[in-house]
Amino acid sequence: MEATSTRPVRVAIVGAGPSGLYAADALTQQTDVPVSVDILDRLPVPFGLVRYGVAPDHLSLRGVKNTLEQVLSHERVRFLGAVELGSTLTVEQLLRHYDAAILTYGASSDRHLGIPGEELPGSIAATDLVNWYCGHPDAVREQVEPALQDVRAAVVVGVGNVAVDVTRVLAKTGAELEHTEMPQHVLDLLEKTGITDVHVLGRRSAVHASWTTKELRELGALDDVDVVVDPAEVDLPVPTDRLAARNLAVLQEFAARTPAGKGRRIHFHFCSRPVAITGAERVAAVEVERTEVDETGAARGTGETWTLPAQLVVRSVGYRGLGLDGVPYDASRGVVPSEEGRVLADGAPLSGLYVAGWIKRGPTGIVGTNKKDAAETVRSLLADVPGLPGAAEPEPAAVTALLDRSGQPYVELSGWQAIDAAELALGASRGRARTTIHEREALLRAARGGQPAAG
Ligand code: NAP
């Protein structure tokens, strides 16, 4: 932009999750370059994975929302919810209206196992289960709710923190979930499942799991759960990696416990990978192959298999970022290719287009990891400002005029505040702190000050 320009640099951030909000924070906390920031999200509500990924029973982790909310209230920040890049607004329109855009739309899809039976009813992705229990408007209730009926044994594939979340939510009692923000229908259904056994499968050894120790330890402290670990599977040398050593110690302590005859059990199986999911009309069992870890650290099949009867399989083997029309995409990694946050096309930076968060680096790290990641991107953007061509439509009102013309409702900060108040009121009506409103239309209605439907 011209050095003589006196107006603020207009930045659009696409995605109001932690990366987007940390990017907005980094932009507004600096004073060298005057900025105005619009945060767009395809959902009517902000907070991305803090609302729809962090487990509903981890209330202290979800509390980061309170800090992130302050960013939304900054005088130079505007929230525009229910605005989807690629449908409400094209990338080309975005770049006409803003001097720069930062894509922080995350990794919403799931990875697949590529084994027979994966598509049977009763086999679901962790992303689908998490969306459902967090009350995401896109959750597919017709898929998830039947999968949870008549289940006694569930298999969770993967040993990362999402697998821990899913296992814990499936194994908790209704009383342990009551204090969460889950939609009421989720709570009602989870209270009634007859699940007695959850089997967690790690394809490599106990020291290769990617969960963190605090989360793992929590599985051994649930009200009505015995943890079951085969001592032989954790009889391993102490690894040099400190996290792996701490995790191994927790699992060894689990293995040494005498079962207390609790109502539910969580079983850990290492060096075990699913090779087929079987069943006539729905999942009935998982064929598991024993593996060993080869010299490169990868799992290698031994040919020895066993059958694990189960009526539900949850594939928790990682998230995957999706491409967007008009934006470069690296399909092999599921990310937008970038260098220091600058989007690359054929190896060269695309003027005015930046990326942060999971769609930049892949689905790794905790919420706080995104702060440093977003700060790097914002540093690049600010350094580039003198060379940016400048938006053709530099007025903030031009975007809302465009949205008004589209005829689709969008949600500003006051709308989110009305949703927030409606969720608190809905919770209070059932003696809960908050009940998440899960339907898009109900969210939009609440944003306009209408009453959400109970339940
Ligand atoms: P993750 O940590 O990458 O774990 C994925 C798991 O899937 C790994 O155990 C991996 O095993 C396994 N896996 C991948 N492909 C597989 C296959 N074909 N067959 C069997 N197993 C397979 O990912 P995540 O659990 O989805 O979590 C994503 C990120 O969110 C992580 O950084 C996580 O820490 C973070 N998160 C944090 C919290 C928290 O702080 N409380 C909660 C949730 C998520 P290999 O290692 O063998 O590949």
Side-chain angles (χ1 to χ4, degrees):
M1 289 173 67
E2 281 180 38
T4 52
S5 175
T6 51
R7 68 172 178 85
V9 177
R10 285 187 38 71
V11 181
I13 295 177
V14 180
S19 313
L21 292 169
Y22 282 131
D25 194 37
L27 282 165
T28 50
Q29 289 309 310
Q30 58 79 43
T31 48
D32 294 339
V33 180
V35 292
S36 74
V37 181
D38 280 359
I39 305 183
L40 283 50
D41 201 292
R42 72 185 188 87
L43 296 177
V45 291
F47 307 124
L49 274 190
V50 171
R51 185 177 157 102
Y52 294 121
V54 175
D57 60 335
H58 274 171
L59 287 174
S60 61
L61 275 178
R62 290 170 76 89
V64 71
K65 186 155 104 28
N66 300 332
T67 313
L68 296 175
E69 185 138 33
Q70 290 169 18
V71 179
L72 285 177
S73 316
H74 192 282
E75 58 181 357
R76 297 216 157 268
V77 174
R78 184 168 64 160
F79 174 62
L80 296 172
V83 175
E84 182 164 27
L85 187 62
S87 70
T88 327
L89 210 64
T90 63
V91 174
E92 199 255 320
Q93 282 171 322
L94 187 78
L95 293 175
R96 267 185 74 74
H97 286 79
Y98 298 92
D99 303 308
I102 308 178
L103 306 176
T104 64
Y105 64 84
S108 58
S109 186
D110 60 286
R111 293 205 204 116
H112 289 256
L113 292 168
I115 60 171
E118 197 171 358
E119 307 305 330
L120 269 175
S123 164
I124 59 176
T127 44
D128 293 327
L129 185 59
V130 172
N131 274 351
W132 174 76
Y133 66 55
C134 289
H136 193 296
D138 294 348
V140 189
R141 291 183 64 179
E142 317 77 79
Q143 183 203 16
V144 176
E145 291 176 13
L148 290 169
Q149 301 292 339
D150 304 318
V151 177
R152 296 197 67 75
V155 170
V156 176
V157 183
V159 285
N161 275 334
V162 172
V164 178
D165 282 348
V166 162
T167 300
R168 193 182 61 254
V169 168
L170 290 177
K172 272 192 168 179
T173 62
E176 286 173 296
L177 295 173
E178 183 70 33
H179 69 287
T180 67
E181 301 174 348
M182 287 175 175
Q184 195 61 42
H185 68 275
V186 170
L187 187 60
D188 293 344
L189 200 156
L190 286 175
E191 273 175 346
K192 285 199 308 249
T193 71
I195 296 176
T196 56
D197 293 86
V198 184
H199 297 265
V200 182
L201 297 187
R203 64 177 169 179
R204 296 189 290 155
S205 87
V207 297
H208 294 95
S210 57
W211 47 41
T212 43
T213 313
K214 182 167 169 282
E215 277 65 26
L216 173 62
R217 196 177 282 127
E218 211 181 333
L219 293 181
L222 304 181
D223 284 354
D224 193 27
V225 171
D226 278 322
V227 280
V228 184
V229 178
D230 177 352
E233 289 195 357
V234 291
D235 184 12
L236 299 168
V238 178
T240 47
D241 180 83
R242 283 170 57 196
L243 172 66
R246 281 200 303 268
N247 288 343
L248 181 62
V250 171
L251 288 165
Q252 287 170 337
E253 187 270 314
F254 286 178
R257 290 188 191 183
T258 306
K262 300 271 179 88
R264 301 155 195 218
R265 286 156 296 281
I266 296 174
H267 309 256
F268 296 84
H269 307 274
F270 297 99
C271 289
S272 299
R273 72 174 177 202
V275 286
I277 300 171
T278 58
E281 280 163 22
R282 64 175 287 178
V283 171
V286 179
E287 290 299 311
V288 184
E289 183 181 28
R290 192 91 195 138
T291 65
E292 53 195 17
V293 179
D294 71 15
E295 49 295 333
T296 67
R300 176 169 57 201
T302 62
E304 180 194 336
T305 59
W306 51 289
T307 303
L308 183 49
Q311 300 76 43
L312 170 70
V313 174
V314 184
R315 309 177 312 260
S316 181
V317 295
Y319 285 68
R320 185 177 163 73
L322 299 175
L324 198 63
D325 272 352
V327 177
Y329 178 62
D330 177 348
S332 65
R333 295 181 53 224
V335 298
V336 170
S338 65
E339 191 175 49
E340 294 177 351
R342 296 179 178 93
V343 173
L344 300 179
D346 301 323
L350 264 184
S351 180
L353 200 56
Y354 301 84
V355 69
W358 278 9
I359 195 61
K360 169 186 176 186
R361 64 174 198 277
T364 60
I366 57 173
V367 170
T369 313
N370 296 301
K371 189 166 186 173
K372 200 165 152 223
D373 180 309
E376 179 194 58
T377 298
V378 166
R379 269 196 306 279
S380 296
L381 187 158
L382 294 172
D384 293 348
V385 163
L388 294 176
E393 308 264 4
E395 293 305 319
V399 180
T400 38
L402 182 77
L403 295 176
D404 287 336
R405 278 199 302 279
S406 80
Q408 291 177 31
Y410 57 92
V411 177
E412 296 188 83
L413 181 61
S414 57
W416 154 245
Q417 287 164 338
I419 293 172
D420 191 34
E423 290 191 333
L424 294 173
L426 193 56
S429 71
R430 304 285 285 254
R432 304 173 67 199
R434 172 192 295 272
T435 298
T436 301
I437 299 172
H438 62 282
E439 286 170 324
R440 191 181 172 89
E441 282 311 314
L443 288 166
L444 292 172
R445 206 163 45 243
R448 292 192 298 269
Q451 290 305 306

